[in-house]
Amino acid sequence: MAKLHFKYGTMNSGKSIDLMKTAHNYEKIGYSVLVLKPLIDTKGEDKIESRVGIQRKVDILIDQDNSLLKLIKNKVTESLACIFIDEAQFLNEKQIDELFFLTKELDIPVICYGLRNNFMMNGFEGSTRLLLIADELEELPALCQCREVARYVGRKVNGEFVISGNEIEIDGADDNIKYEPMCGKCYLKKVKKIKF
């Protein structure tokens, strides 16, 4: 039976590269894939872009009110071997539930990539649901500046860490907003300003 996978990590953990590499491997041996991403992710417009400059056009852009059952079922062919979702943290709970249903009904694996938590250390709606119902979970590690594994992300506005603001601010959409992958200790020290 096909599985719903969630591969999560902070910025610079290689999520987009892993998605594009895995999709390419399926296509190289003659299978087709579907690649989707949420419309709210304006970085790259209708493409997935990695930080090292590799990009790939997506097949479907997902809006918040889209039914993934309807969007994906219309695209299913006999050669469809896998469905990939980039920036899955931006999906809503119902859309994640639909992906789980699709894996069982169509017997086609779905691999979701995304952030586990936001810059305030809270879960995104899509990520939270995936952590609860995905058949397989895999952390893609990134490194903090101190060389520990980064599992959190700090948001800088005009060079200063912030702990409040809109949950969604797309990386690169505003030159004044930057994100930094961080380990728990560095996050508490630099973002929360807790002294040890």
Side-chain angles (χ1 to χ4, degrees), residues 5-120:
H5 301 256
F6 183 33
K7 295 186 176 192
Y8 60 88
T10 65
M11 279 80 174
N12 299 325
S13 62
K15 297 182 301 293
S16 297
I17 290 171
D18 191 82
L19 184 157
M20 290 185 275
K21 175 191 73 163
T22 308
H24 173 77
N25 287 341
Y26 273 102
E27 293 169 328
K28 188 85 172 156
I29 58 172
Y31 291 105
S32 65
V33 299
L34 280 178
V35 178
L36 299 83
K37 81 171 193 173
L39 189 60
I40 196 167
D41 176 27
T42 55
K43 180 181 172 187
E45 296 173 0
D46 66 344
K47 295 179 188 74
I48 294 171
E49 284 187 351
S50 76
R51 296 191 191 312
V52 297
I54 301 168
Q55 52 180 227
R56 178 191 175 110
K57 191 167 176 17
V58 299
D59 300 301
I60 301 172
L61 289 170
I62 308 163
D63 206 350
Q64 275 296 108
D65 59 355
N66 286 149
S67 164
L68 295 185
L69 290 174
K70 291 178 183 171
L71 285 177
I72 292 171
K73 277 188 170 183
N74 293 337
K75 302 274 187 181
V76 172
T77 63
E78 200 166 300
S79 68
L80 181 62
C82 193
I83 298 165
F84 295 90
I85 313 285
D86 196 34
E87 305 293 353
Q89 72 272 6
F90 297 140
L91 299 180
N92 61 48
E93 187 174 312
K94 181 180 179 211
Q95 290 169 326
I96 300 299
D97 288 346
E98 288 178 319
L99 292 174
F100 182 79
F101 178 80
L102 283 167
T103 62
K104 308 315 174 218
E105 181 193 26
L106 302 177
D107 201 27
I108 297 171
V110 175
I111 306 175
C112 294
Y113 293 83
L115 300 170
R116 183 177 72 163
N117 47 42
N118 64 25
F119 74 102
M120 297 176 281

Side-chain angles (χ1 to χ4, degrees), residues 121 183-194 196:
M121 293 181 96
C183 71
K185 186 173 184 177
C186 287
Y187 183 91
L188 292 174
K189 191 170 152 184
K190 294 179 181 179
V191 179
K192 296 279 192 171
K193 309 287 190 223
I194 294 173
F196 290 91

